[in-house]
Each structure stands twice: as structure tokens, then as C-alpha cells.
Amino acid sequence: MGMTFLDLSYDLNDIKRLFGAGEEVSASCCLDGSRLITEIEYKGKSYSFSDEIEAEGEIEFKRLCRRAAKKRLYGVLKENTGISLPWGSLTGIRPVRLFSQTVKEMGYEEAQRYFLEFFDVSPSKLELLKRIEKVQRKYLADDPKICDLYAGIPFCRGRCSYCSFISAEIEKSAGLIDSYAFCLIKEIEFVKNIIAKNGLKVNSVYVGGGTPSSLPLEKLEEILAALKDIEAGEFTFEAGRPDSFSEELMELLKRAGVNRISVNPQSSSDETLKRIGRRHTFSDCVRAFGLSEKYGFIVNMDIIAGLPGESLEDFKRTADAVIALRPHNITVHTLCVKNGALLARTDYSHTECASQMLDYAQNALHNSGYNAYYMYRQKNAAGNLENVGYSLPGFECLYNIDNMEDSVTVAACGANAISKRVFSGGRIERLANPKDIKTYCSKIDALLEKKELFFSG
């Protein structure tokens, strides 16, 4: 038997993108039995690598082939460009989950060596992985009967320039609100019956967006009423924009049983906020935070590294100002500009100091008593960097951990929501709702039939 072609172009393109490489590089892979042959051409130079792949089962074999091919292309580009990336050849969304799995397979010391030597992950990023993995140990559920419930409200008061989420501006979409709320409540009630019928226990409830607080309070009250009778220790409401905060909203959330809330400044610079399309000032954030504290909510605040026009000093001021408020959670995002974002259609380029921004935030937060407790990565993030959630001890968000580590089943309701079932042994299946609000509403009955089948058996 001769060699057979193996199409790994999707994975290899991920590595090319990290280096900004185009037509000057080409790579192809073939299988000769259990040997992976990777051929690379870069600016007139030719490289050939042979890797023996040992794996149990076809899925694991293909996974290891992808890793080996990416490692080889990364090595060639690193050698020729002199660029060494903090995450090496590792491109996945959930690096902590991968590290935890590798620890189980190889042991702690060998897993560290594998990340350093095989993936070429930097020592500082490995240290961050280790810190997060240690915090998560006591929270990760290992019970197929535990689930989370997510309800999505894809409406906003305006679109930020970096946003690519499928959401509708509330002022332009008033005619969709009633029908969407009706369908969302219908799906929530349906899912509650599925949860009861399958004997599932809800770990956490999460209301996300968009900006859920952009809805009229009477409509929001109807949705929250459908969630109120769910017994869960954690109930998060992603309020987000501080210009949507009011005493009336706080009282409504409190009555509904919400115990966690988000207030997202993104930056302490009013100039930056205006530039990215936010309709609030940092003073509004401070006011919203004070209001959240008054009503006794556990508070998360988001900031973003790499925003347009911001220097390292600008970011330091933001991090220091938010830490000084002492919220329970602070999430540090790296700016990620996807094709659907307004910013993608401008001549904006990622800041070159995003890595320094993240390093500053990490050190400042750790020195202030916060622990890194969850992480995820996105394509097109500045510097190929990460998003990290930090928490004061004991205030970690279970939903964030569960979702990022794929550790429990999620019953997700609403447009663009993705349910997932986590089975014993780690197998995961997903079911996506329609992304568009009108399509979601028009197909709600068919969607519920699919959901019934998805969660049965």
C-alpha cells in the first residue's frame, strides 16, 4: 500500500495565521501506515518530517496527527522568522482542559514537560495553567446528572465596534421583543420539564446576552419568573453595560433570586469608551458597581487588553482602577476582532503590547489576592493571547468553569444558544439553536422536538 493524503489544512492554516504567513509557505500531510509524513515548503526551502503516531482508536489517532503536523509547521516558521509565540503550537480554545487531561494520562511532571517541549508553551503560560488547574480541582463536577441552564437574551443598547455576537439593537428591534420573550419562556419551561424528567440537578443558572438588562423591565420580569423556581446555588445575570443599571433593575433581580451580576467597564478611559461605541463613562461603572454592592450581589467586572488607541499605561490605569473597587471577580479579555465586527472593516491593527498588558494585570491581581480560575482562547486575539477570569477566594463562578472545561451538561435556551450533553467517559454532543432571532421564533416548535430527542436516552 502506498501513502494516503491526509487533509489537515484547517489545522495547518491556524499555524500559518499565527505568523501572518501566506503563499510563501505550503504544507501537506500523508499517511504511510501509522507514520505521518509532513512536507513543508517555505521561501524556497523544503522540509520533510516523519512521525510515528501511536494511538488507541481512530479519533485519537487523528487528534495526534493534527498535533504533530502543527508542531512541525510551527517549528519551521519559528526557525525562519525568529518569532516564538507564548502558546507555541497550541491553538485550542480550552488549554486548561487539555492540561488536566494530559495530567490524567501522563502524570503531573510529564504533562508539564509535554507542554513545554512538544507544544513549546512558554514557562509563564504553563505556570498560569497550573494555577488555574489547581483552583478548579475542587469545583469540577464528575457527575452526568449535574447540568447548567443558560438563557440567552440577544438584545443590546448599541453595538460595540469589536463585537461580532449575533444580537439586535433594542431601539431598532422593538417589534421582536414580545415574540422572542414568548418563545424563550416556552423553551425554558420545556427544558425545565426535561431536567425534571431526566433527574438532573441544576448546578447554575446563567442569563447572558447581548445585554439582558436592555429589555424593558416588565418583559425581563416575565423571563426571570420562568427561572425563579429552579433550585441552583448560583444564578448569574450578565447585566454588562452600566448605563442599563437602576434601582428598579436591582430590585427585580433580587426578587428573582439572582446572586451574581456583571458590570463591564472594559476601560477606565472615557475617550476609549466613546471610541469603541460604549454609551457610558467609567463613572457610570463605579455607580453601577456601588448599586450592585448595595443589593448584595457577587460582582464580576470585565476589562479588555488591546483596545484601539490604548497604550500600556492606559491599560494599567484601567486595571488599577477596577482592582481598587474590589469586585469579587475580574475577567481580563484580550481584544479579539472577528470578521463580523465593525472594527474588522477599519485599518485598526492589534496593539503590540497586549502581552505586557496581560502580564501587568496578572501580577497586579495576584498581588491583590485574586486567583486565576478559568481561561479560554479565541482566534484572532491580539498576540494569540488568552482571556482569564480572576476571583477572590471562594467567589469563583461555577458556570464559567463548567462551560470552559466542558465538565457538565448545559441546557441552553434562546437564539444562538448551544446545548451540550457530557457523558461518562468524556464524550460530548452539541445541539445549536438558530442564530437569527426571527428564525428562532419561527422554528421554536421544531426546535423543542429536537431538544426532546437530544436529551432523551
Side-chain angles (χ1 to χ4, degrees), residues 51 72 155 159 201 213 252 261 278 292 366 381 429 444:
D51 293 288
R72 293 304 187 183
F155 293 91
R159 181 173 288 274
K201 179 183 177 183
S213 52
L252 170 59
I261 196 169
R278 306 283 284 191
S292 303
H366 284 156
E429 294 181 2
I444 186 65

Side-chain angles (χ1 to χ4, degrees), residues 9 22 44 63 73 173 219 322 325 398 439 443 445:
S9 56
R63 180 182 295 120
L73 180 56
S173 309
K219 200 55 61 177
V322 172
L325 291 172
L398 296 178
T439 306
K443 295 186 175 181
D445 291 328

Side-chain angles (χ1 to χ4, degrees), residues 212-223:
S213 52
S214 63
L215 284 187
L217 290 184
E218 63 274 13
K219 200 55 61 177
L220 187 58
E221 186 170 16
E222 293 176 14
I223 295 170

Side-chain angles (χ1 to χ4, degrees), residues 148-155 180-181 183-185 187-189 191 204-212 215 220 223-224 226-227 230 235-238 399 410-419 433 440 451:
D148 293 334
L149 194 152
Y150 174 85
I153 300 179
F155 293 91
Y180 183 78
C183 292
L184 178 59
I185 291 169
E187 187 178 11
I188 290 170
E189 295 294 350
V191 160
S204 67
V205 176
Y206 194 101
V207 179
T211 306
L215 284 187
L220 187 58
I223 295 170
L224 291 174
L227 297 166
I230 298 173
F235 190 165
T236 302
F237 184 85
E238 193 178 355
Y399 179 82
V410 177
C413 305
N416 202 30
I418 301 176
S419 296
N433 286 358
Y440 167 78
K451 207 147 228 162

